[in-house]
Amino acid sequence: MTNEELQTLVKTISIDVFKKPFLHQAKHNPRLRTTGGRYMLADHTIEINPLVFKVHGMDELVGVIKHELCHYHLHLEGKGYRHRDEDFRKLLNETSSPRFCKPLAAQNKKSTSFYIYECESCKLKYKRKRRVNVQKYRCGKCAGAISIQINK
């Protein structure tokens, strides 16, 4: 879908669902990673992640556009346009817009690697995701010196 087609779709949805014109620009933004779209307060632009259409299809794209148009119209009217505002939640329900976008890609689970430290005195083991400066810290149980045992 091109930016011109997206612009036409946003204008059509704005008139059909909100009964108000969309007078600004709508465009694709492939740099969006975790969100389906966003509304820019400064210039009233709506940016849509092109993956929404590729991954989930037209229905999800229309939902994301309706969600961003809720922000757009409420902001221009001077009403509460943020997710936590009552005006925003009310307009979402009235237009049957989704509150959240479906996940666009499988979340990259960080590797389960961790560091295992061991007290040299009492042999208590400590599992940590982050590296610890063993010169700076001591065992919490016996105040003994800590050494790294395994770096997984």
Side-chain angles (χ1 to χ4, degrees):
M1 174 176 281
T2 65
N3 280 335
E4 292 79 24
E5 293 171 333
L6 179 66
Q7 180 76 25
T8 305
L9 181 62
V10 171
K11 284 183 176 183
T12 304
I13 293 171
S14 183
I15 293 293
D16 292 348
V17 176
F18 295 89
K19 312 294 187 236
K20 298 172 189 172
F22 177 72
L23 305 172
H24 293 86
Q25 187 180 11
K27 60 185 178 181
H28 288 291
N29 184 348
R31 291 170 301 170
L32 295 176
R33 295 274 181 232
T34 59
T35 184
R38 69 177 173 188
Y39 166 63
M40 306 299 287
L41 295 174
D43 60 358
H44 309 293
T45 301
I46 290 179
E47 296 179 344
I48 302 294
N49 189 334
L51 285 177
V52 172
F53 181 66
K54 289 178 187 170
V55 174
H56 297 297
M58 185 57 82
D59 290 338
E60 184 68 16
L61 178 64
V62 169
V64 169
I65 291 171
K66 288 190 326 187
H67 177 99
E68 299 309 324
L69 283 171
C70 288
H71 289 295
Y72 172 80
H73 289 299
L74 289 170
H75 181 246
L76 291 180
E77 293 170 7
K79 296 181 179 177
Y81 59 88
R82 294 182 176 144
H83 288 116
R84 66 175 176 256
D85 293 330
E86 188 177 332
D87 292 331
F88 181 75
R89 291 183 185 203
K90 184 178 173 189
L91 187 58
L92 281 179
N93 287 333
E94 290 172 2
T95 59
S96 61
S97 302
R99 182 133 186 252
F100 302 105
C101 176
K102 290 181 182 175
L104 295 171
Q107 295 290 332
N108 282 345
K109 290 186 178 179
K110 291 190 175 181
S111 63
T112 56
S113 65
F114 50 87
Y115 298 95
I116 298 178
Y117 297 93
E118 184 178 44
C119 173
E120 294 175 358
S121 301
C122 68
K123 305 297 183 197
L124 182 67
K125 291 186 176 24
Y126 297 92
K127 246 188 209 181
R128 296 290 179 264
K129 288 185 179 178
R130 292 187 177 186
R131 204 166 174 158
V132 174
N133 183 353
V134 293
Q135 304 295 327
K136 189 174 180 183
Y137 294 100
R138 309 288 287 184
C139 175
K141 183 178 176 185
C142 70
I146 297 175
S147 62
I148 190 163
Q149 185 187 27
I150 299 173
N151 187 0
K152 267 191 174 178

